[in-house]
Amino acid sequence: MSNGSNINQEALERLARAGSQETGEISVVTSPGARAAAWAIKVKSLSSYNVYNVIAVVLGSAGSVPVEIGQQTKAVNMAEPFLEQGTLDSGTYAIMFRVGERNVFYAPV
């Protein structure tokens, strides 16, 4: 039995020496949920403050107009103050992300 434990101890020591010399730093970035969802959108109208009615669009080939799909939804423009009326023009395109229970996008005015 002592011979088997010596072999295991030697293997552990070898792994410990090799592990400290060969391992590098590893970083992992995660987000809540399965993935971060994002869509190309078009601003349709102002709802209130910095909340807008938006619709998802499908981008085609270069030189083609994006095609609206689905139904309108509300999204918050993070580039505008939360306590003032929004001034973003209808027809503006942006990328919308789902953060928690809210849709958000960033479109400077």
Side-chain angles (χ1 to χ4, degrees), residues 42-71:
K42 179 181 180 181
V43 173
K44 298 298 280 182
S45 63
L46 178 66
S47 177
S48 65
Y49 293 97
N50 65 337
V51 179
Y52 290 86
N53 298 309
V54 301
I55 192 162
V57 295
V58 174
L59 304 175
S61 59
S64 66
V65 177
V67 177
E68 297 178 2
I69 60 168
Q71 297 179 344

Side-chain angles (χ1 to χ4, degrees), residues 15-93:
L15 286 172
R17 283 191 304 271
S20 64
Q21 295 170 357
E22 295 177 11
T23 58
E25 186 174 323
I26 298 174
S27 298
V28 177
V29 177
T30 61
S31 65
R35 62 183 173 92
W39 300 268
I41 58 154
K42 179 181 180 181
V43 173
K44 298 298 280 182
S45 63
L46 178 66
S47 177
S48 65
Y49 293 97
N50 65 337
V51 179
Y52 290 86
N53 298 309
V54 301
I55 192 162
V57 295
V58 174
L59 304 175
S61 59
S64 66
V65 177
V67 177
E68 297 178 2
I69 60 168
Q71 297 179 344
Q72 288 186 26
T73 188
K74 294 188 184 311
V76 177
N77 184 4
M78 300 299 292
E80 293 182 304
F82 289 90
L83 300 176
E84 295 177 16
Q85 198 68 359
T87 60
L88 190 62
D89 293 331
S90 296
T92 302
Y93 291 93

